[in-house]
Amino acid sequence: MSFADSGDHDHAGMHTPPALIAALLGIAFAVPAQAEEAYDPWPGLVQDIFNNRPIKDGADVIGIEMPTRAEDAAIVPVTLRSKLSPADSRRIRSITLVIDRNPAPMAAKFELGPDANVTEISTRVRVNNYTDVHAVAELTDGQLYVSKVYVKASGGCSAPAGKNAEEANNRLGQMRYRQFAREDIPASRIREAQIMIGHPNNSGLQMDQVTQLYIPAFFVNQLKLTQDDSPVLSMNGGISISEDPNLRFTYVSNGAKRFRAEAKDTDGHVFRNEWDVEKPGT
């Protein structure tokens, strides 16, 4: 008997109207989608990442900016910005970036140098599903504060690498340091700079288009930036940081002549470089 024939009668010989079958199938497929959409991973992430510590509204503490709809889910720009008043005696000690629905939700934790006065950090991340993205700031008073945005993007963690393996290996660990002039920053010791690192930052979810095998995870998981030996900014990163990681940030110069960077990846490579602050270049 064909499938068409068998669909004419149920086990009791009763005819099942096609409209009812369609309705039942619609319910069967719609419920999981609705349940998935309704599921909120954030409470569980608060427990896993922050050990269920109280987290206060951070509208006046930490800002997070991302496009509502990403053009490329593999390189979604994100900017984290301090919103503390200059009169506030507290400062931000660390910022944790959480992409709720990514396979590894904790994208990065940034530790801010105690004397560097970092007020802005920008980078690029992978976004795997439509998701809330949270920025949690820990202040010097020990309290946690959170802000969030919603981003429409999907497939960023499994998107193929932009460069082939040979090109990526040739650039592995190459670093560049740049400085920028900003009209909105008054002439002072405040600087804006950028660090770029050549690295595939494989997520472990990307497939080799030739072998059809998954490429093992291989990414920069530590980055430390200093002016001479004074800490400016450090990052503990995960698979959500995009290929060729880069950080753009503001900091206050302490008069140091050299800016230094040290990065480590999950295969144990260590990359170091330093630049003359007055002649950053490559």
Side-chain angles (χ1 to χ4, degrees):
M1 181 184 293
S2 70
F3 179 80
D5 291 335
S6 65
D8 287 341
H9 300 278
D10 60 18
H11 290 295
M14 299 292 291
H15 181 72
T16 305
L20 178 58
I21 294 175
L24 291 172
L25 287 173
I27 292 172
F29 284 105
V31 170
Q34 292 169 351
E36 171 66 21
E37 194 64 31
Y39 170 66
D40 181 7
W42 179 242
L45 296 174
V46 171
Q47 177 177 342
D48 293 344
I49 299 174
F50 304 102
N51 200 27
N52 262 348
R53 292 170 60 189
I55 305 181
K56 301 179 180 180
D57 175 41
D60 298 325
V61 175
I62 182 73
I64 176 171
E65 298 173 9
M66 299 179 73
T68 302
R69 185 178 293 276
E71 292 184 13
D72 186 339
I75 46 171
V76 183
V78 54
T79 296
L80 309 169
R81 184 176 288 111
S82 171
K83 299 178 76 174
L84 290 176
S85 161
D88 199 319
S89 61
R90 303 170 301 171
R91 65 169 186 82
I92 296 177
R93 180 181 292 157
S94 70
I95 305 171
T96 303
L97 179 63
V98 182
I99 306 174
D100 294 18
R101 291 179 180 267
N102 269 15
M106 184 170 160
K109 183 174 182 179
F110 302 97
E111 300 278 354
L112 282 53
D115 302 316
N117 195 29
V118 174
T119 56
E120 190 174 307
I121 303 169
S122 296
T123 190
R124 303 177 307 182
V125 295
R126 299 175 169 122
V127 177
N128 213 50
N129 296 284
Y130 284 27
T131 184
D132 285 327
V133 181
H134 289 83
V136 178
E138 180 171 9
L139 270 56
T140 47
D141 64 4
Q143 301 295 312
L144 299 179
Y145 297 84
V146 64
S147 293
K148 73 173 182 178
V149 293
Y150 188 76
V151 178
K152 295 179 179 179
S154 61
C157 292
S158 57
K163 299 176 177 64
N164 63 44
E166 183 178 354
E167 183 181 355
N169 285 332
N170 289 340
R171 302 175 67 255
L172 189 69
Q174 291 183 9
M175 294 187 187
R176 294 181 61 201
Y177 170 66
R178 299 173 61 196
Q179 288 183 172
F180 303 89
R182 272 181 45 167
E183 295 180 359
D184 60 323
I185 296 180
S188 67
R189 295 182 301 140
I190 299 177
R191 300 181 185 272
E192 182 175 9
Q194 183 179 35
I195 288 285
M196 295 160 281
I197 307 170
H199 203 286
N201 254 40
N202 296 325
S203 67
L205 301 171
Q206 298 152 304
M207 185 174 288
D208 186 303
Q209 300 303 303
V210 177
T211 67
Q212 296 296 297
L213 299 175
Y214 284 103
I215 302 167
F218 175 47
F219 55 90
V220 173
N221 57 353
Q222 293 182 43
L223 174 63
K224 295 180 180 179
L225 307 176
T226 61
Q227 42 183 338
D228 284 344
D229 295 318
S230 178
V232 172
L233 179 63
S234 67
M235 179 189 78
N236 287 323
I239 67 170
S240 297
I241 299 297
S242 300
E243 180 180 7
D244 294 333
N246 82 66
L247 290 182
R248 185 163 172 161
F249 52 95
T250 59
Y251 71 101
V252 172
S253 169
N254 64 0
K257 301 298 184 184
R258 306 291 287 173
F259 196 93
R260 299 189 173 105
E262 178 181 285
K264 298 179 181 178
D265 68 20
T266 50
D267 276 13
H269 300 118
V270 178
F271 312 108
R272 296 185 181 92
N273 210 333
E274 62 178 71
W275 302 266
D276 186 326
V277 172
E278 301 307 322
K279 300 175 183 177
T282 57

